[in-house]
Amino acid sequence: MDLFLQYLANGVVVGSSYVLVAVGLTLIFGILHVVNFAHGEFYMLGGYAGITASTAFGLPLPASLAVVAAVSCLLGLGAEALLHRGLKNQDQTSSIIASFGLAVALQNAVMVTMGPQPELMHTELAYKAIELGPVFLPAPRALIPPAMLIIVGALFAALRWTWTGRSLRAMAQHETVARLCGVKVRRVAVITFMLGATLAGVAGFMMSAVYMVHPLVGNMIVLKAFIVVIIGGMGSPLGAAAAGLLLGVIESMTSAYLTNGLRDVVGFLLVIAVLLFRPQGLFGRSLERS
Amino acid sequence: MLKLENVVAGYGRTRILHGLSLEVPRGGLVALLGGNGTGKSTCLKAIAGLVTPQDGTVALDGRVINDVAAEDRTAMGLSLVPQGKEIFGGMSVAENLMMGAYHRRRDKAGVAADLEGVYTRFPRLKERRRVLAGMLSGGERQMLSIGRALMSRPTMLLLDEPSAALAPRVVEEIAEAILSLRDLGLTLLLVEQNVGMALEVADYLYVIRGGRIAFERAVDDGVGMDELRDFYLSGAH
């Protein structure tokens, strides 16, 4: 039982990073209909930006976080210009393929500048730990779930109660009527990409103190995020949040009770099952009456 | 108020409007009638800015607005009421209405007051303000669409087939709502297939056929159902 709780906690930590990455991915898809395969690179670059700021420049963690957010916003701005504005009037496959291209370009750019060796963020926090009954978590891990809750909670509150949030949801539901209400597509697109990139970047930053970061780390992350988005229901941020935690816990349990080799496989099996039996996702539902 | 002159418009290489001209005077309630595929919707889209004319001009209060984006026309007082199915189905009734006031979102007190105004006009919407708009009936959706447009404080409303797919009793309700909008001093362009409803409310009629105005007449000049029916049936296809 004690070990079970420890595995659960480990799963929640990793799942929290999935939530941050997947919520942004599902927002970009739901609002702009862009399938962004370069989303893992937002995570990877968040990790590198954080490591560079905190380790190379010795900035404190809050300042490093600000650097990560700034880098992510710039990245989101560029990605929007390329994948959305640049290709808006073309077939959707164009932006999918372009996002693959962007992913490869970013991976190689980092490979050239930072080198291929994996890096870990070193912080004082690593020497502290939190014990909750039988559960033991080093501080850098323990901080991730509460940070995720705060960030995602703030995001959902903003989507629900601010004009900008309402305009994003309106655009997701009916672009033409949103435009007739005076919502500017470009503004929504830039905000959405910046949000998505920042959520992923912050996840990459926090996880860089837990797992090594390397130029290709985004490959697996983006696939995990797609698993989460499909399980949660395409375009549903709340579904992505729930499914992200679920995937983290399932992976942790698989690794603990079955075999570690199945850890990265179980999510894909789950996706196949969801697509076969409940293609709208576990948390997706149909709202229209007619 | 609104003037279209020789508007040519379409999608890609397909031309739908072939030099359409019409005029809506300030305070007027003008109906644009036509069957399916005659160019009614394209005409409305050209006025709302969702389609850019390839030739001709769309002018509002004497100013040519061909190049004004759809997003900016609401702030000029021009508001399109799309068909009832065109709503934010996953947002509450209140949120749908609020979105109508998006371009003047900084005016908190004004938005709140206008929301109350819409609730007074359509008490059904007040009762259902927390319900997701996707759960509303056809008539309620139409009221919601009109209410949302009113939230933008328009001077001119474009109504896209408000009677489409509604029961006759509900059509009557919507017709009354439209007449009350005119009494507010709004200028209205009503695009309809429902000739009866258009004759009941409008003071001037245009009939569109093949992307051009084929017939126009003031309603009090004795345009009867019969005359229009004959016109519709004579070689409309």
PDB file of all heavy atoms in Angstrom, chain A residues 160 163 166-167 169-170 173-174 177 179-184 187 288-289, chain B residues 50 71-72 74 86 88-91 95 98-99 102 105 134-135 148:
ATOM      1  N   ARG A 160     -12.885  31.387 -18.491  1.00  0.00           N
ATOM      2  CA  ARG A 160     -14.281  31.461 -18.086  1.00  0.00           C
ATOM      3  C   ARG A 160     -14.746  32.897 -17.884  1.00  0.00           C
ATOM      4  O   ARG A 160     -15.831  33.265 -18.304  1.00  0.00           O
ATOM      5  CB  ARG A 160     -14.434  30.667 -16.781  1.00  0.00           C
ATOM      6  CG  ARG A 160     -15.825  30.520 -16.253  1.00  0.00           C
ATOM      7  CD  ARG A 160     -16.405  29.162 -16.632  1.00  0.00           C
ATOM      8  NE  ARG A 160     -17.755  29.010 -16.122  1.00  0.00           N
ATOM      9  CZ  ARG A 160     -18.820  29.566 -16.688  1.00  0.00           C
ATOM     10  NH1 ARG A 160     -18.696  30.310 -17.750  1.00  0.00           N
ATOM     11  NH2 ARG A 160     -20.023  29.386 -16.179  1.00  0.00           N
ATOM     12  N   TRP A 163     -12.775  38.708 -20.754  1.00  0.00           N
ATOM     13  CA  TRP A 163     -13.205  38.963 -22.138  1.00  0.00           C
ATOM     14  C   TRP A 163     -12.312  38.220 -23.117  1.00  0.00           C
ATOM     15  O   TRP A 163     -12.773  37.685 -24.120  1.00  0.00           O
ATOM     16  CB  TRP A 163     -13.181  40.467 -22.431  1.00  0.00           C
ATOM     17  CG  TRP A 163     -14.403  41.168 -21.940  1.00  0.00           C
ATOM     18  CD1 TRP A 163     -14.506  41.958 -20.834  1.00  0.00           C
ATOM     19  CD2 TRP A 163     -15.716  41.134 -22.532  1.00  0.00           C
ATOM     20  NE1 TRP A 163     -15.800  42.414 -20.712  1.00  0.00           N
ATOM     21  CE2 TRP A 163     -16.553  41.936 -21.734  1.00  0.00           C
ATOM     22  CE3 TRP A 163     -16.237  40.520 -23.668  1.00  0.00           C
ATOM     23  CZ2 TRP A 163     -17.903  42.129 -22.030  1.00  0.00           C
ATOM     24  CZ3 TRP A 163     -17.584  40.716 -23.958  1.00  0.00           C
ATOM     25  CH2 TRP A 163     -18.401  41.506 -23.140  1.00  0.00           C
ATOM     26  N   ARG A 166     -13.290  34.607 -23.030  1.00  0.00           N
ATOM     27  CA  ARG A 166     -14.546  34.415 -23.751  1.00  0.00           C
ATOM     28  C   ARG A 166     -14.321  34.477 -25.262  1.00  0.00           C
ATOM     29  O   ARG A 166     -14.896  33.705 -26.024  1.00  0.00           O
ATOM     30  CB  ARG A 166     -15.548  35.504 -23.353  1.00  0.00           C
ATOM     31  CG  ARG A 166     -16.474  35.108 -22.213  1.00  0.00           C
ATOM     32  CD  ARG A 166     -17.645  36.065 -22.114  1.00  0.00           C
ATOM     33  NE  ARG A 166     -17.263  37.352 -21.555  1.00  0.00           N
ATOM     34  CZ  ARG A 166     -17.239  37.626 -20.256  1.00  0.00           C
ATOM     35  NH1 ARG A 166     -17.581  36.721 -19.383  1.00  0.00           N
ATOM     36  NH2 ARG A 166     -16.873  38.813 -19.823  1.00  0.00           N
ATOM     37  N   SER A 167     -13.453  35.404 -25.685  1.00  0.00           N
ATOM     38  CA  SER A 167     -13.231  35.544 -27.131  1.00  0.00           C
ATOM     39  C   SER A 167     -12.529  34.292 -27.675  1.00  0.00           C
ATOM     40  O   SER A 167     -12.789  33.870 -28.799  1.00  0.00           O
ATOM     41  CB  SER A 167     -12.430  36.812 -27.447  1.00  0.00           C
ATOM     42  OG  SER A 167     -11.090  36.680 -27.047  1.00  0.00           O
ATOM     43  N   ARG A 169     -12.911  31.200 -26.446  1.00  0.00           N
ATOM     44  CA  ARG A 169     -13.920  30.129 -26.515  1.00  0.00           C
ATOM     45  C   ARG A 169     -14.888  30.378 -27.664  1.00  0.00           C
ATOM     46  O   ARG A 169     -15.303  29.454 -28.361  1.00  0.00           O
ATOM     47  CB  ARG A 169     -14.682  30.029 -25.188  1.00  0.00           C
ATOM     48  CG  ARG A 169     -13.845  29.365 -24.092  1.00  0.00           C
ATOM     49  CD  ARG A 169     -14.670  29.122 -22.857  1.00  0.00           C
ATOM     50  NE  ARG A 169     -15.056  30.374 -22.239  1.00  0.00           N
ATOM     51  CZ  ARG A 169     -16.259  30.631 -21.732  1.00  0.00           C
ATOM     52  NH1 ARG A 169     -17.204  29.719 -21.773  1.00  0.00           N
ATOM     53  NH2 ARG A 169     -16.504  31.788 -21.158  1.00  0.00           N
ATOM     54  N   ALA A 170     -15.240  31.659 -27.853  1.00  0.00           N
ATOM     55  CA  ALA A 170     -16.155  31.992 -28.947  1.00  0.00           C
ATOM     56  C   ALA A 170     -15.539  31.605 -30.285  1.00  0.00           C
ATOM     57  O   ALA A 170     -16.200  31.025 -31.143  1.00  0.00           O
ATOM     58  CB  ALA A 170     -16.477  33.489 -28.910  1.00  0.00           C
ATOM     59  N   GLN A 173     -15.759  27.971 -30.949  1.00  0.00           N
ATOM     60  CA  GLN A 173     -17.089  27.425 -31.228  1.00  0.00           C
ATOM     61  C   GLN A 173     -17.662  27.874 -32.553  1.00  0.00           C
ATOM     62  O   GLN A 173     -18.367  27.115 -33.208  1.00  0.00           O
ATOM     63  CB  GLN A 173     -18.045  27.792 -30.089  1.00  0.00           C
ATOM     64  CG  GLN A 173     -17.652  27.048 -28.837  1.00  0.00           C
ATOM     65  CD  GLN A 173     -18.573  27.358 -27.691  1.00  0.00           C
ATOM     66  OE1 GLN A 173     -19.727  27.732 -27.882  1.00  0.00           O
ATOM     67  NE2 GLN A 173     -18.078  27.203 -26.493  1.00  0.00           N
ATOM     68  N   HIS A 174     -17.402  29.112 -32.929  1.00  0.00           N
ATOM     69  CA  HIS A 174     -17.970  29.594 -34.192  1.00  0.00           C
ATOM     70  C   HIS A 174     -17.180  30.805 -34.669  1.00  0.00           C
ATOM     71  O   HIS A 174     -17.445  31.926 -34.249  1.00  0.00           O
ATOM     72  CB  HIS A 174     -19.446  29.960 -33.998  1.00  0.00           C
ATOM     73  CG  HIS A 174     -20.227  29.902 -35.276  1.00  0.00           C
ATOM     74  ND1 HIS A 174     -19.788  30.509 -36.430  1.00  0.00           N
ATOM     75  CD2 HIS A 174     -21.385  29.290 -35.595  1.00  0.00           C
ATOM     76  CE1 HIS A 174     -20.665  30.298 -37.386  1.00  0.00           C
ATOM     77  NE2 HIS A 174     -21.636  29.541 -36.909  1.00  0.00           N
ATOM     78  N   VAL A 177     -19.243  33.848 -36.338  1.00  0.00           N
ATOM     79  CA  VAL A 177     -20.027  34.668 -35.416  1.00  0.00           C
ATOM     80  C   VAL A 177     -19.085  35.451 -34.496  1.00  0.00           C
ATOM     81  O   VAL A 177     -19.346  36.608 -34.169  1.00  0.00           O
ATOM     82  CB  VAL A 177     -21.017  33.807 -34.612  1.00  0.00           C
ATOM     83  CG1 VAL A 177     -21.816  34.673 -33.656  1.00  0.00           C
ATOM     84  CG2 VAL A 177     -21.964  33.079 -35.544  1.00  0.00           C
ATOM     85  N   ARG A 179     -16.194  36.621 -35.294  1.00  0.00           N
ATOM     86  CA  ARG A 179     -15.729  37.777 -36.078  1.00  0.00           C
ATOM     87  C   ARG A 179     -16.817  38.839 -36.160  1.00  0.00           C
ATOM     88  O   ARG A 179     -16.548  40.034 -36.072  1.00  0.00           O
ATOM     89  CB  ARG A 179     -15.331  37.334 -37.483  1.00  0.00           C
ATOM     90  CG  ARG A 179     -14.038  36.530 -37.504  1.00  0.00           C
ATOM     91  CD  ARG A 179     -13.721  36.074 -38.908  1.00  0.00           C
ATOM     92  NE  ARG A 179     -13.530  37.190 -39.811  1.00  0.00           N
ATOM     93  CZ  ARG A 179     -13.627  37.102 -41.137  1.00  0.00           C
ATOM     94  NH1 ARG A 179     -13.952  35.959 -41.694  1.00  0.00           N
ATOM     95  NH2 ARG A 179     -13.420  38.156 -41.884  1.00  0.00           N
ATOM     96  N   LEU A 180     -18.065  38.391 -36.329  1.00  0.00           N
ATOM     97  CA  LEU A 180     -19.171  39.354 -36.400  1.00  0.00           C
ATOM     98  C   LEU A 180     -19.318  40.110 -35.082  1.00  0.00           C
ATOM     99  O   LEU A 180     -19.843  41.216 -35.047  1.00  0.00           O
ATOM    100  CB  LEU A 180     -20.481  38.643 -36.743  1.00  0.00           C
ATOM    101  CG  LEU A 180     -20.569  38.086 -38.164  1.00  0.00           C
ATOM    102  CD1 LEU A 180     -21.834  37.272 -38.332  1.00  0.00           C
ATOM    103  CD2 LEU A 180     -20.525  39.210 -39.194  1.00  0.00           C
ATOM    104  N   CYS A 181     -18.872  39.494 -33.992  1.00  0.00           N
ATOM    105  CA  CYS A 181     -18.919  40.180 -32.698  1.00  0.00           C
ATOM    106  C   CYS A 181     -17.737  41.134 -32.532  1.00  0.00           C
ATOM    107  O   CYS A 181     -17.630  41.816 -31.523  1.00  0.00           O
ATOM    108  CB  CYS A 181     -18.885  39.167 -31.554  1.00  0.00           C
ATOM    109  SG  CYS A 181     -20.383  38.200 -31.397  1.00  0.00           S
ATOM    110  N   GLY A 182     -16.821  41.132 -33.497  1.00  0.00           N
ATOM    111  CA  GLY A 182     -15.682  42.034 -33.417  1.00  0.00           C
ATOM    112  C   GLY A 182     -14.401  41.385 -32.915  1.00  0.00           C
ATOM    113  O   GLY A 182     -13.415  42.075 -32.666  1.00  0.00           O
ATOM    114  N   VAL A 183     -14.402  40.060 -32.768  1.00  0.00           N
ATOM    115  CA  VAL A 183     -13.190  39.371 -32.311  1.00  0.00           C
ATOM    116  C   VAL A 183     -12.214  39.256 -33.485  1.00  0.00           C
ATOM    117  O   VAL A 183     -12.600  38.836 -34.572  1.00  0.00           O
ATOM    118  CB  VAL A 183     -13.526  37.958 -31.783  1.00  0.00           C
ATOM    119  CG1 VAL A 183     -12.262  37.228 -31.369  1.00  0.00           C
ATOM    120  CG2 VAL A 183     -14.502  38.046 -30.625  1.00  0.00           C
ATOM    121  N   LYS A 184     -10.973  39.636 -33.250  1.00  0.00           N
ATOM    122  CA  LYS A 184      -9.977  39.586 -34.320  1.00  0.00           C
ATOM    123  C   LYS A 184      -9.238  38.253 -34.299  1.00  0.00           C
ATOM    124  O   LYS A 184      -8.618  37.877 -33.301  1.00  0.00           O
ATOM    125  CB  LYS A 184      -9.005  40.749 -34.185  1.00  0.00           C
ATOM    126  CG  LYS A 184      -9.696  42.086 -34.398  1.00  0.00           C
ATOM    127  CD  LYS A 184      -8.702  43.221 -34.502  1.00  0.00           C
ATOM    128  CE  LYS A 184      -9.347  44.481 -35.045  1.00  0.00           C
ATOM    129  NZ  LYS A 184     -10.512  44.943 -34.276  1.00  0.00           N
ATOM    130  N   ARG A 187      -5.475  38.246 -33.307  1.00  0.00           N
ATOM    131  CA  ARG A 187      -5.211  38.470 -31.894  1.00  0.00           C
ATOM    132  C   ARG A 187      -5.427  37.175 -31.104  1.00  0.00           C
ATOM    133  O   ARG A 187      -4.592  36.767 -30.292  1.00  0.00           O
ATOM    134  CB  ARG A 187      -6.172  39.557 -31.389  1.00  0.00           C
ATOM    135  CG  ARG A 187      -5.999  39.984 -29.970  1.00  0.00           C
ATOM    136  CD  ARG A 187      -7.077  41.031 -29.623  1.00  0.00           C
ATOM    137  NE  ARG A 187      -7.721  40.702 -28.357  1.00  0.00           N
ATOM    138  CZ  ARG A 187      -7.267  41.097 -27.175  1.00  0.00           C
ATOM    139  NH1 ARG A 187      -6.204  41.845 -27.107  1.00  0.00           N
ATOM    140  NH2 ARG A 187      -7.869  40.736 -26.073  1.00  0.00           N
ATOM    141  N   GLU A 288     -24.543  19.891 -28.942  1.00  0.00           N
ATOM    142  CA  GLU A 288     -25.625  20.446 -29.760  1.00  0.00           C
ATOM    143  C   GLU A 288     -26.904  19.651 -29.598  1.00  0.00           C
ATOM    144  O   GLU A 288     -26.900  18.428 -29.565  1.00  0.00           O
ATOM    145  CB  GLU A 288     -25.197  20.469 -31.225  1.00  0.00           C
ATOM    146  CG  GLU A 288     -24.163  21.537 -31.526  1.00  0.00           C
ATOM    147  CD  GLU A 288     -24.687  22.944 -31.344  1.00  0.00           C
ATOM    148  OE1 GLU A 288     -25.721  23.275 -31.943  1.00  0.00           O
ATOM    149  OE2 GLU A 288     -24.079  23.714 -30.597  1.00  0.00           O
ATOM    150  N   ARG A 289     -28.012  20.357 -29.523  1.00  0.00           N
ATOM    151  CA  ARG A 289     -29.292  19.708 -29.358  1.00  0.00           C
ATOM    152  C   ARG A 289     -29.784  19.138 -30.685  1.00  0.00           C
ATOM    153  O   ARG A 289     -30.345  18.063 -30.748  1.00  0.00           O
ATOM    154  CB  ARG A 289     -30.273  20.740 -28.813  1.00  0.00           C
ATOM    155  CG  ARG A 289     -31.697  20.307 -28.802  1.00  0.00           C
ATOM    156  CD  ARG A 289     -32.477  21.258 -27.909  1.00  0.00           C
ATOM    157  NE  ARG A 289     -33.838  21.369 -28.382  1.00  0.00           N
ATOM    158  CZ  ARG A 289     -34.825  21.848 -27.632  1.00  0.00           C
ATOM    159  NH1 ARG A 289     -34.576  22.244 -26.402  1.00  0.00           N
ATOM    160  NH2 ARG A 289     -36.029  21.946 -28.104  1.00  0.00           N
TER     161      ARG A 289
ATOM    162  N   LEU B  50     -17.957  39.625 -44.799  1.00  0.00           N
ATOM    163  CA  LEU B  50     -17.434  38.257 -44.804  1.00  0.00           C
ATOM    164  C   LEU B  50     -17.003  37.833 -46.213  1.00  0.00           C
ATOM    165  O   LEU B  50     -16.292  36.858 -46.382  1.00  0.00           O
ATOM    166  CB  LEU B  50     -18.489  37.280 -44.254  1.00  0.00           C
ATOM    167  CG  LEU B  50     -18.882  37.524 -42.792  1.00  0.00           C
ATOM    168  CD1 LEU B  50     -20.074  36.680 -42.397  1.00  0.00           C
ATOM    169  CD2 LEU B  50     -17.703  37.230 -41.875  1.00  0.00           C
ATOM    170  N   GLU B  71     -14.702  42.248 -38.746  1.00  0.00           N
ATOM    171  CA  GLU B  71     -14.509  42.433 -37.310  1.00  0.00           C
ATOM    172  C   GLU B  71     -14.722  43.883 -36.890  1.00  0.00           C
ATOM    173  O   GLU B  71     -15.030  44.163 -35.738  1.00  0.00           O
ATOM    174  CB  GLU B  71     -13.085  42.021 -36.889  1.00  0.00           C
ATOM    175  CG  GLU B  71     -12.785  40.549 -37.038  1.00  0.00           C
ATOM    176  CD  GLU B  71     -12.269  40.178 -38.428  1.00  0.00           C
ATOM    177  OE1 GLU B  71     -12.776  40.740 -39.419  1.00  0.00           O
ATOM    178  OE2 GLU B  71     -11.370  39.336 -38.511  1.00  0.00           O
ATOM    179  N   ASP B  72     -14.493  44.813 -37.834  1.00  0.00           N
ATOM    180  CA  ASP B  72     -14.577  46.231 -37.480  1.00  0.00           C
ATOM    181  C   ASP B  72     -15.926  46.846 -37.836  1.00  0.00           C
ATOM    182  O   ASP B  72     -16.195  47.987 -37.480  1.00  0.00           O
ATOM    183  CB  ASP B  72     -13.455  47.005 -38.187  1.00  0.00           C
ATOM    184  CG  ASP B  72     -12.089  46.524 -37.723  1.00  0.00           C
ATOM    185  OD1 ASP B  72     -11.963  46.214 -36.522  1.00  0.00           O
ATOM    186  OD2 ASP B  72     -11.168  46.449 -38.546  1.00  0.00           O
ATOM    187  N   THR B  74     -18.929  45.877 -36.846  1.00  0.00           N
ATOM    188  CA  THR B  74     -19.831  45.929 -35.701  1.00  0.00           C
ATOM    189  C   THR B  74     -19.701  47.266 -34.981  1.00  0.00           C
ATOM    190  O   THR B  74     -20.690  47.861 -34.583  1.00  0.00           O
ATOM    191  CB  THR B  74     -19.508  44.788 -34.716  1.00  0.00           C
ATOM    192  OG1 THR B  74     -19.233  43.621 -35.479  1.00  0.00           O
ATOM    193  CG2 THR B  74     -20.652  44.525 -33.784  1.00  0.00           C
ATOM    194  N   GLU B  86     -26.612  29.576 -35.845  1.00  0.00           N
ATOM    195  CA  GLU B  86     -25.268  30.148 -35.744  1.00  0.00           C
ATOM    196  C   GLU B  86     -25.082  30.852 -34.404  1.00  0.00           C
ATOM    197  O   GLU B  86     -25.184  32.060 -34.310  1.00  0.00           O
ATOM    198  CB  GLU B  86     -25.037  31.154 -36.875  1.00  0.00           C
ATOM    199  CG  GLU B  86     -25.568  30.725 -38.211  1.00  0.00           C
ATOM    200  CD  GLU B  86     -24.556  29.904 -39.001  1.00  0.00           C
ATOM    201  OE1 GLU B  86     -23.358  30.131 -38.814  1.00  0.00           O
ATOM    202  OE2 GLU B  86     -24.971  29.051 -39.778  1.00  0.00           O
ATOM    203  N   PHE B  88     -23.011  30.379 -30.232  1.00  0.00           N
ATOM    204  CA  PHE B  88     -21.940  29.698 -29.509  1.00  0.00           C
ATOM    205  C   PHE B  88     -22.604  28.637 -28.628  1.00  0.00           C
ATOM    206  O   PHE B  88     -22.971  28.894 -27.488  1.00  0.00           O
ATOM    207  CB  PHE B  88     -21.140  30.678 -28.666  1.00  0.00           C
ATOM    208  CG  PHE B  88     -20.581  31.844 -29.449  1.00  0.00           C
ATOM    209  CD1 PHE B  88     -20.942  33.144 -29.147  1.00  0.00           C
ATOM    210  CD2 PHE B  88     -19.693  31.627 -30.499  1.00  0.00           C
ATOM    211  CE1 PHE B  88     -20.428  34.209 -29.869  1.00  0.00           C
ATOM    212  CE2 PHE B  88     -19.187  32.690 -31.232  1.00  0.00           C
ATOM    213  CZ  PHE B  88     -19.551  33.981 -30.916  1.00  0.00           C
ATOM    214  N   GLY B  89     -22.770  27.422 -29.190  1.00  0.00           N
ATOM    215  CA  GLY B  89     -23.574  26.397 -28.538  1.00  0.00           C
ATOM    216  C   GLY B  89     -23.060  25.959 -27.173  1.00  0.00           C
ATOM    217  O   GLY B  89     -23.843  25.566 -26.324  1.00  0.00           O
ATOM    218  N   GLY B  90     -21.758  26.023 -26.960  1.00  0.00           N
ATOM    219  CA  GLY B  90     -21.185  25.559 -25.698  1.00  0.00           C
ATOM    220  C   GLY B  90     -21.030  26.663 -24.669  1.00  0.00           C
ATOM    221  O   GLY B  90     -20.431  26.458 -23.617  1.00  0.00           O
ATOM    222  N   MET B  91     -21.554  27.852 -24.961  1.00  0.00           N
ATOM    223  CA  MET B  91     -21.494  28.948 -23.997  1.00  0.00           C
ATOM    224  C   MET B  91     -22.912  29.240 -23.516  1.00  0.00           C
ATOM    225  O   MET B  91     -23.886  28.975 -24.222  1.00  0.00           O
ATOM    226  CB  MET B  91     -20.870  30.192 -24.646  1.00  0.00           C
ATOM    227  CG  MET B  91     -19.397  29.992 -24.961  1.00  0.00           C
ATOM    228  SD  MET B  91     -18.696  31.244 -26.072  1.00  0.00           S
ATOM    229  CE  MET B  91     -18.401  32.600 -24.950  1.00  0.00           C
ATOM    230  N   GLU B  95     -23.508  34.453 -21.755  1.00  0.00           N
ATOM    231  CA  GLU B  95     -22.201  34.660 -22.400  1.00  0.00           C
ATOM    232  C   GLU B  95     -22.356  34.972 -23.880  1.00  0.00           C
ATOM    233  O   GLU B  95     -21.626  35.803 -24.426  1.00  0.00           O
ATOM    234  CB  GLU B  95     -21.327  33.415 -22.238  1.00  0.00           C
ATOM    235  CG  GLU B  95     -20.773  33.256 -20.845  1.00  0.00           C
ATOM    236  CD  GLU B  95     -19.880  32.036 -20.724  1.00  0.00           C
ATOM    237  OE1 GLU B  95     -20.231  30.977 -21.282  1.00  0.00           O
ATOM    238  OE2 GLU B  95     -18.835  32.144 -20.081  1.00  0.00           O
ATOM    239  N   MET B  98     -23.255  38.547 -24.019  1.00  0.00           N
ATOM    240  CA  MET B  98     -22.100  39.395 -23.699  1.00  0.00           C
ATOM    241  C   MET B  98     -21.157  39.524 -24.894  1.00  0.00           C
ATOM    242  O   MET B  98     -20.591  40.580 -25.146  1.00  0.00           O
ATOM    243  CB  MET B  98     -21.310  38.796 -22.533  1.00  0.00           C
ATOM    244  CG  MET B  98     -22.120  38.639 -21.288  1.00  0.00           C
ATOM    245  SD  MET B  98     -21.813  39.802 -19.993  1.00  0.00           S
ATOM    246  CE  MET B  98     -20.115  39.693 -19.623  1.00  0.00           C
ATOM    247  N   MET B  99     -20.976  38.410 -25.630  1.00  0.00           N
ATOM    248  CA  MET B  99     -20.052  38.453 -26.773  1.00  0.00           C
ATOM    249  C   MET B  99     -20.475  39.514 -27.786  1.00  0.00           C
ATOM    250  O   MET B  99     -19.644  40.083 -28.484  1.00  0.00           O
ATOM    251  CB  MET B  99     -19.971  37.087 -27.463  1.00  0.00           C
ATOM    252  CG  MET B  99     -19.015  36.107 -26.810  1.00  0.00           C
ATOM    253  SD  MET B  99     -17.380  36.766 -26.473  1.00  0.00           S
ATOM    254  CE  MET B  99     -16.769  37.048 -28.145  1.00  0.00           C
ATOM    255  N   TYR B 102     -18.646  42.661 -27.325  1.00  0.00           N
ATOM    256  CA  TYR B 102     -17.190  42.492 -27.224  1.00  0.00           C
ATOM    257  C   TYR B 102     -16.432  43.769 -27.594  1.00  0.00           C
ATOM    258  O   TYR B 102     -15.465  44.136 -26.937  1.00  0.00           O
ATOM    259  CB  TYR B 102     -16.752  41.328 -28.120  1.00  0.00           C
ATOM    260  CG  TYR B 102     -15.269  41.103 -28.135  1.00  0.00           C
ATOM    261  CD1 TYR B 102     -14.650  40.417 -27.095  1.00  0.00           C
ATOM    262  CD2 TYR B 102     -14.468  41.592 -29.172  1.00  0.00           C
ATOM    263  CE1 TYR B 102     -13.285  40.216 -27.094  1.00  0.00           C
ATOM    264  CE2 TYR B 102     -13.103  41.396 -29.174  1.00  0.00           C
ATOM    265  CZ  TYR B 102     -12.515  40.710 -28.142  1.00  0.00           C
ATOM    266  OH  TYR B 102     -11.157  40.517 -28.134  1.00  0.00           O
ATOM    267  N   ARG B 105     -16.164  46.264 -24.668  1.00  0.00           N
ATOM    268  CA  ARG B 105     -16.069  45.510 -23.417  1.00  0.00           C
ATOM    269  C   ARG B 105     -15.582  46.353 -22.247  1.00  0.00           C
ATOM    270  O   ARG B 105     -15.735  45.961 -21.099  1.00  0.00           O
ATOM    271  CB  ARG B 105     -15.169  44.288 -23.608  1.00  0.00           C
ATOM    272  CG  ARG B 105     -13.779  44.594 -24.169  1.00  0.00           C
ATOM    273  CD  ARG B 105     -13.111  43.317 -24.649  1.00  0.00           C
ATOM    274  NE  ARG B 105     -11.821  43.538 -25.271  1.00  0.00           N
ATOM    275  CZ  ARG B 105     -11.645  43.917 -26.531  1.00  0.00           C
ATOM    276  NH1 ARG B 105     -12.698  44.112 -27.303  1.00  0.00           N
ATOM    277  NH2 ARG B 105     -10.439  44.097 -27.026  1.00  0.00           N
ATOM    278  N   GLY B 134     -26.654  25.872 -26.847  1.00  0.00           N
ATOM    279  CA  GLY B 134     -26.926  24.716 -27.702  1.00  0.00           C
ATOM    280  C   GLY B 134     -28.183  23.960 -27.297  1.00  0.00           C
ATOM    281  O   GLY B 134     -28.703  23.157 -28.071  1.00  0.00           O
ATOM    282  N   MET B 135     -28.673  24.186 -26.085  1.00  0.00           N
ATOM    283  CA  MET B 135     -29.860  23.481 -25.618  1.00  0.00           C
ATOM    284  C   MET B 135     -31.151  24.236 -25.914  1.00  0.00           C
ATOM    285  O   MET B 135     -32.239  23.775 -25.588  1.00  0.00           O
ATOM    286  CB  MET B 135     -29.780  23.253 -24.092  1.00  0.00           C
ATOM    287  CG  MET B 135     -28.486  22.664 -23.583  1.00  0.00           C
ATOM    288  SD  MET B 135     -28.153  21.050 -24.295  1.00  0.00           S
ATOM    289  CE  MET B 135     -29.282  20.061 -23.334  1.00  0.00           C
ATOM    290  N   ARG B 148     -28.066  39.188 -29.162  1.00  0.00           N
ATOM    291  CA  ARG B 148     -26.618  39.377 -29.235  1.00  0.00           C
ATOM    292  C   ARG B 148     -26.276  40.552 -30.138  1.00  0.00           C
ATOM    293  O   ARG B 148     -25.397  41.356 -29.827  1.00  0.00           O
ATOM    294  CB  ARG B 148     -25.936  38.107 -29.739  1.00  0.00           C
ATOM    295  CG  ARG B 148     -24.446  38.116 -29.489  1.00  0.00           C
ATOM    296  CD  ARG B 148     -23.743  37.030 -30.269  1.00  0.00           C
ATOM    297  NE  ARG B 148     -24.071  37.153 -31.657  1.00  0.00           N
ATOM    298  CZ  ARG B 148     -24.541  36.152 -32.402  1.00  0.00           C
ATOM    299  NH1 ARG B 148     -24.722  34.971 -31.886  1.00  0.00           N
ATOM    300  NH2 ARG B 148     -24.825  36.360 -33.658  1.00  0.00           N
TER     301      ARG B 148
END
